[in-house]
């Protein structure tokens, strides 16, 4: 069989490299190679995703940080293919994630996935009883935890600050020797004159290049030239890089747009065909009306009298931010309390970005129906401007307000999906690579100029701009104070930054594992949104079928006006006959017909929710052909209400997940930042430190030589008197002789 070639790329060779790195447990390198295959499709995609999922599972097992573990697990469950062969691992991964977070969301997903896997095993591998028992265990475990969980468990917000630092500790002797070394450098630095200290802040690019080439070879030289060229041409040190395709961007917005458009980090094509049904948040105008209103109970009886008897005066009421002080108020403490609770909930929904137009419309529609029962038409409410303000809710009595409150309390404001922990993990990765020190050039770009503040004190704020400036070195450091020895501590400190990423490692590999995991988490939310949108679309189609059934019944009422009662056709008989006609026309095969059959069946059975069960529909419908009209119409209206409520909740959940997706995308964009300063500061520190140590050693050597010379002279002087004495004595002796 010929190897598959995609463009100029041999798929098998690249994929084999990824597997080799995986078996060598070089997971980051394996992920890098896998990202080169982001364009593959079909069965090849399944194999690539499966390997990536296995990598994330092993990374999750390996890490000791709970927040990072959650990020890896999310990456794992997104990567694992939705194919029969991988359902078991997907179910186990979801259960592991659920246990990590105590999350009902993931317990439910694990049950769903395990049931799929169990069905596949029973059909295709009936003899594999061990795997079947494993899936049954997953289902039982997850379902028991779902039953126990009536609220989010506090342990889902575990302390993620407990990071294992034992590996970073060194023995006491090493620490002592390092401390002595630093003290020695501090003393030497303190003895240097100001001009020498300032000169050490100027790093010759030629010297740095020579040093890097000597220590890191051609790889280091290429990495350094890349950094310096970027800084010289772009006049900045920071940029954004997509780790998947290695494209660079000059702003966060450019990077985010790329991730959305090229890497499925945005809700796009699947939904845009039906944008009319996309959930929408209420406008800022409506949000302001909700948050600024007085929410005091209106004296409904007096207000209705005003509307009926003085409509023109009511039309002239003035409104500020949607509220009028002209309506008569009621001194009702209980209603006032309920209204304030409703306001607080609505404001919290807005703050959480889940206050959808459908929630507002449901509340307004409920209130309008209440007022219509009090003989105030919707048309009149429009004339009174009451449909443009939440103040209409203040017309409700306690019973209605309690129903509204009960409905609103069922809206979820948060989701126990672990994305808050992912954000926390991203914070730690981003903080580890932020840079505080400015790094500039001389006009000839031949010298790098260290931040002059290092000469005096510790720099507390991060420099997130990373702008490159050009200064005359002699002028730039002219007034720079050189007090204290902070710079020595800074030079010897290698604890800051990402210890797993060192110069000259390829930039793409910086934070690659967590970056890909967060990208997968973003894509996972996209999958969740797709499921919710599909469910909403199905419910809306079902609602259309119910509306069709209701309209048929209403049309029958019109026909009855011209017929004797014994000639009337019952609603049930009419709907049954309509189903029989559809069966004749298309054999009940079209999606619309199937959905209509399901809706009629549910109406006849008095179902409490849509079943979407097409099996044996016509038999059930024929058996209930003699149902009374009241039963049929009540059942239709009840199911329409159920659908309306379900759609409203889906909209709020959709907006909640979309808000999570946006937050994750922001985190992914933050992870995409790379600062060349963090990349080259370490070799710069090494070069400067080597220079200082060389100067210190040279000074020590000179001092030692001077000391030796001094001691030599002292010995010489001590010997000279005896020599003179001997000579004198000799002369005397000679004379005597």
């Amino acid at each position: 069989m010929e190897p598959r070639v995609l463009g100029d790329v041999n798929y098998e060779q690249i994929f084999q490299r990824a597997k080799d790195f995986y078996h060598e447990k070089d997971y980051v390198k394996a992920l890098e190679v896998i990202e080169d295959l982001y364009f593959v499709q079909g069965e090849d995609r399944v194999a690539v995703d499966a390997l990536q999922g296995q990598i994330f599972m092993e990374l999750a097992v390996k890490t000791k940080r709970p927040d990072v573990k959650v990020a890896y697990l999310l990456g794992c469950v997104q990567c694992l293919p939705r194919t029969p062969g991988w359902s078991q691992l997907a179910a186990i991964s979801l259960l592991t994630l659920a246990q990590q977070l105590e999350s009902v969301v993931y317990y439910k997903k694990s049950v769903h996935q395990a049931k799929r896997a169990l069905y596949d095993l029973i059909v295709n591998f009936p003899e594999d009883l061990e795997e079947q028992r494993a899936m049954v265990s997953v289902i039982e475990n997850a379902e028991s935890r779902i039953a126990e969980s009536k609220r989010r468990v506090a342990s889902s917000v575990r302390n993620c600050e407990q990071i294992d630092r034992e590996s970073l500790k060194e023995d006491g002797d090493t620490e002592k020797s390092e401390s002595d070394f630093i003290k020695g450098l501090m003393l030497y630095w303190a003895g240097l004159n100001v001009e020498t200290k300032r000169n050490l802040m100027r790093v010759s690019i030629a010297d740095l290049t020579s040093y890097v080439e000597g220590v890191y070879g051609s790889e280091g030289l290429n990495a350094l030239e890349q950094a310096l060229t970027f800084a010289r041409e772009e006049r900045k040190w920071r940029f954004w890089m997509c780790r998947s395709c290695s494209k660079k961007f000059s702003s966060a917005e450019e990077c985010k747009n790329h991730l959305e458009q090229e890497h499925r980090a945005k809700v796009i094509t699947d939904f845009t065909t039906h944008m009319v049904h996309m959930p929408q948040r209420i406008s800022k105008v409506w949000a302001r009306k909700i948050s600024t209103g007085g929410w005091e109970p209106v004296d409904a009886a007096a207000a209705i009298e005003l509307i009926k008897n003085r409509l023109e005066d009511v039309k002239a009421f003035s409104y500020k931010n949607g509220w009028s002080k002209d309506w008569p108020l009621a001194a009702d403490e209980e209603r006032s309390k309920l209204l304030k609770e409703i306001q607080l909930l609505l404001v919290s929904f807005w703050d959480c970005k889940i206050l959808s137009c459908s929630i507002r419309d449901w509340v307004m529609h409920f209130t309008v129906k209440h007022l219509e029962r009090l003989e105030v038409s919707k048309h009149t409410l429009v004339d009174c401007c009451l449909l443009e303000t939440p103040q209409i809710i203040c017309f409700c009595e306690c019973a209605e307000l309690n129903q509204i409150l009960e409905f609103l309390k069922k809206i979820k404001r948060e989701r126990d999906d672990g994305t808050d922990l992912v954000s926390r993990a991203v914070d730690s990765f981003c903080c580890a690579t932020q840079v505080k020190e400015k790094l500039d050039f001389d006009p000839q770009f031949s010298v790098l100029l260290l931040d002059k503040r290092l000469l005096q004190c510790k720099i507390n704020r991060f420099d997130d701009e990373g702008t490159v400036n050009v200064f005359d070195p002699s002028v730039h450091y002219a007034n720079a104070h050189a007090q204290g020895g902070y710079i020595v501590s800074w030079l010897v400190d290698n604890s800051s930054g990402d210890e797993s990423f060192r110069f000259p490692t390829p930039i793409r590999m910086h934070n690659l594992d967590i970056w890909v995991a967060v990208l997968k988490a973003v894509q996972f939310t996209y999958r969740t949104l797709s499921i919710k949108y599909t469910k909403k679309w199905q419910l809306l189609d079902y609602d259309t079928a119910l509306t069709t059934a209701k309209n048929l019944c209403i049309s029958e009422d019109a026909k009855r006006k011209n017929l004797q009662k014994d000639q009337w056709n019952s609603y049930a008989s009419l709907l049954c006959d309509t189903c029989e006609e559809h069966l004749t026309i298309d054999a009940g095969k079209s999606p619309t017909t199937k959905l209509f059959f399901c809706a009629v069946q549910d109406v006849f059975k008095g179902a409490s929710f849509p079943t979407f069960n097409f099996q044996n529909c016509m038999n059930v419908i024929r058996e209930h052909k003699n149902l009374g009209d009241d039963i049929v119409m009540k059942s239709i209206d009840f199911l329409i209400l159920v659908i309306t409520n379900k759609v409203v909740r889906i909209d709020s959940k959709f907006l909640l997940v979309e808000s999570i997706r946006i937050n994750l995308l922001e985190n992914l964009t933050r992870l995409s930042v790379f600062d060349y300063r963090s990349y080259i500061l370490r070799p710069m520190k090494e070069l400067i430190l080597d220079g200082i140590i060389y100067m210190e050693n040279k000074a020590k050597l000179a001092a030692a030589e001077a000391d030796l010379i001094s001691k030599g002279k002292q010995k010489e002087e001590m010997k000279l008197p005896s020599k003179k004495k001997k000579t004198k004595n000799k002369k005397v002796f000679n004379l005597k002789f």
Side-chain angles (χ1 to χ4, degrees), residues 181-208:
F181 169 71
I182 295 171
K183 286 178 180 177
L185 279 181
M186 288 280 195
L187 287 171
Y188 175 70
W189 177 265
L192 293 175
N193 62 51
V194 173
E195 193 57 35
T196 302
K197 291 178 179 178
R198 290 172 181 170
N199 287 335
L200 285 168
M201 306 298 286
R202 306 162 184 167
V203 180
S204 165
I205 289 177
D207 291 346
L208 180 61

Coordinates of all heavy atoms in Angstrom, one line a residue, residues 181-208:
F181 N 28.6 32.5 48.0 CA 28.9 33.1 46.7 C 28.3 34.4 46.4 O 28.9 35.4 46.0 CB 28.5 32.0 45.6 CG 28.6 32.6 44.2 CD1 29.9 32.8 43.6 CD2 27.5 32.8 43.5 CE1 29.9 33.3 42.3 CE2 27.6 33.3 42.2 CZ 28.8 33.5 41.6
I182 N 27.0 34.5 46.7 CA 26.2 35.7 46.5 C 26.8 36.9 47.4 O 26.9 38.0 47.0 CB 24.7 35.5 46.8 CG1 24.2 34.6 45.7 CG2 24.0 36.8 46.7 CD1 22.7 34.1 46.0
K183 N 27.1 36.5 48.7 CA 27.6 37.5 49.6 C 28.9 38.1 49.1 O 29.2 39.3 49.2 CB 27.8 36.9 51.0 CG 26.5 36.7 51.8 CD 26.8 36.0 53.1 CE 25.5 35.8 53.9 NZ 25.7 35.1 55.2
G184 N 29.7 37.2 48.6 CA 31.0 37.6 48.0 C 30.8 38.6 46.8 O 31.5 39.6 46.8
L185 N 29.9 38.2 46.0 CA 29.6 39.1 44.8 C 29.0 40.5 45.3 O 29.4 41.5 44.7 CB 28.5 38.5 43.9 CG 29.1 37.4 42.9 CD1 27.9 36.9 42.0 CD2 30.1 38.0 42.0
M186 N 28.2 40.4 46.3 CA 27.6 41.7 46.9 C 28.7 42.6 47.4 O 28.7 43.8 47.1 CB 26.7 41.3 48.0 CG 25.3 40.7 47.6 SD 24.2 41.9 47.0 CE 22.7 41.0 47.0
L187 N 29.7 42.0 48.1 CA 30.8 42.8 48.6 C 31.6 43.4 47.5 O 32.0 44.6 47.6 CB 31.7 41.9 49.5 CG 31.1 41.6 50.9 CD1 31.9 40.6 51.6 CD2 30.9 42.9 51.8
Y188 N 31.8 42.6 46.5 CA 32.6 43.1 45.4 C 31.9 44.2 44.6 O 32.5 45.3 44.3 CB 33.0 42.0 44.4 CG 33.7 42.4 43.1 CD1 35.0 42.9 43.2 CD2 33.0 42.5 41.9 CE1 35.6 43.3 42.1 CE2 33.7 42.9 40.8 CZ 35.0 43.4 40.9 OH 35.6 43.8 39.7
W189 N 30.6 44.0 44.4 CA 29.8 45.0 43.7 C 29.7 46.3 44.5 O 29.9 47.4 43.9 CB 28.3 44.5 43.6 CG 27.4 45.5 42.9 CD1 26.5 46.3 43.6 CD2 27.2 45.8 41.5 NE1 25.9 47.1 42.7 CE2 26.2 46.8 41.4 CE3 27.8 45.2 40.4 CZ2 25.9 47.3 40.2 CZ3 27.4 45.7 39.2 CH2 26.4 46.7 39.1
A190 N 29.6 46.2 45.8 CA 29.6 47.4 46.7 C 30.9 48.2 46.5 O 30.9 49.5 46.7 CB 29.3 47.1 48.1
G191 N 32.0 47.6 46.2 CA 33.3 48.3 46.1 C 33.5 48.9 44.8 O 34.5 49.7 44.6
L192 N 32.7 48.6 43.8 CA 32.9 49.1 42.4 C 32.5 50.6 42.4 O 31.5 51.0 43.1 CB 32.1 48.4 41.4 CG 32.5 46.9 41.1 CD1 31.5 46.2 40.2 CD2 33.9 46.8 40.6
N193 N 33.1 51.4 41.5 CA 32.7 52.8 41.4 C 31.4 52.9 40.5 O 31.1 51.9 39.8 CB 33.8 53.7 40.8 CG 34.2 53.2 39.4 OD1 33.4 53.0 38.6 ND2 35.6 53.0 39.3
V194 N 30.8 54.0 40.6 CA 29.5 54.2 39.9 C 29.6 54.0 38.4 O 28.8 53.3 37.7 CB 28.9 55.6 40.2 CG1 27.7 55.8 39.3 CG2 28.6 55.7 41.7
E195 N 30.7 54.5 37.8 CA 30.8 54.4 36.3 C 31.0 52.9 35.9 O 30.4 52.5 34.9 CB 32.0 55.2 35.9 CG 32.1 55.5 34.4 CD 30.8 56.1 33.8 OE1 30.2 57.0 34.5 OE2 30.4 55.8 32.7
T196 N 31.7 52.2 36.7 CA 31.9 50.7 36.3 C 30.5 50.0 36.4 O 30.2 49.2 35.5 CB 32.9 50.1 37.3 OG1 34.1 50.8 37.2 CG2 33.1 48.6 36.9
K197 N 29.8 50.3 37.4 CA 28.4 49.7 37.5 C 27.5 50.1 36.4 O 26.8 49.2 35.8 CB 27.8 50.2 38.8 CG 28.4 49.6 40.1 CD 27.8 50.2 41.4 CE 28.4 49.6 42.6 NZ 27.8 50.2 43.9
R198 N 27.6 51.3 35.9 CA 26.7 51.7 34.8 C 27.2 51.1 33.5 O 26.4 50.7 32.7 CB 26.8 53.3 34.7 CG 26.1 54.0 35.8 CD 26.3 55.5 35.7 NE 25.7 56.2 36.8 CZ 25.9 57.5 37.0 NH1 26.7 58.2 36.3 NH2 25.2 58.1 38.0
N199 N 28.5 50.9 33.4 CA 29.0 50.3 32.2 C 28.5 48.8 32.0 O 28.4 48.3 30.9 CB 30.5 50.3 32.1 CG 31.0 51.7 31.8 OD1 30.3 52.5 31.2 ND2 32.2 52.1 32.2
L200 N 28.4 48.2 33.2 CA 27.9 46.8 33.2 C 26.5 46.6 32.7 O 26.1 45.5 32.4 CB 28.1 46.2 34.6 CG 29.6 45.8 35.0 CD1 29.6 45.5 36.5 CD2 30.1 44.7 34.2
M201 N 25.7 47.7 32.7 CA 24.4 47.7 32.2 C 24.3 47.7 30.7 O 23.2 47.4 30.1 CB 23.6 48.9 32.7 CG 23.6 49.1 34.2 SD 22.9 47.7 35.1 CE 21.2 48.0 34.8
R202 N 25.4 47.9 30.0 CA 25.4 48.0 28.6 C 26.0 46.6 28.1 O 27.2 46.3 28.3 CB 26.3 49.1 28.1 CG 25.9 50.4 28.7 CD 27.0 51.5 28.5 NE 26.7 52.7 29.2 CZ 27.5 53.7 29.4 NH1 28.8 53.6 29.1 NH2 27.1 54.8 30.0
V203 N 25.2 45.9 27.4 CA 25.6 44.6 26.9 C 25.8 44.6 25.4 O 24.9 44.9 24.6 CB 24.5 43.5 27.2 CG1 24.9 42.1 26.7 CG2 24.2 43.5 28.7
S204 N 27.1 44.4 25.0 CA 27.5 44.4 23.6 C 26.8 43.3 22.9 O 26.9 42.1 23.3 CB 29.0 44.3 23.5 OG 29.3 44.0 22.1
I205 N 26.1 43.5 21.8 CA 25.4 42.5 21.1 C 26.5 41.5 20.5 O 26.2 40.3 20.4 CB 24.5 43.1 20.0 CG1 23.3 43.7 20.7 CG2 24.1 42.0 19.0 CD1 22.4 44.4 19.7
A206 N 27.6 42.1 20.1 CA 28.7 41.2 19.5 C 29.2 40.2 20.6 O 29.4 39.0 20.3 CB 29.8 42.1 19.0
D207 N 29.3 40.7 21.8 CA 29.8 39.9 22.9 C 28.7 38.8 23.3 O 29.0 37.7 23.5 CB 30.1 40.7 24.2 CG 31.3 41.5 24.0 OD1 32.1 41.3 23.1 OD2 31.5 42.5 24.8
L208 N 27.4 39.3 23.3 CA 26.3 38.4 23.6 C 26.2 37.3 22.5 O 26.0 36.1 22.8 CB 25.0 39.1 23.7 CG 23.8 38.3 24.0 CD1 23.9 37.6 25.3 CD2 22.5 39.2 24.0

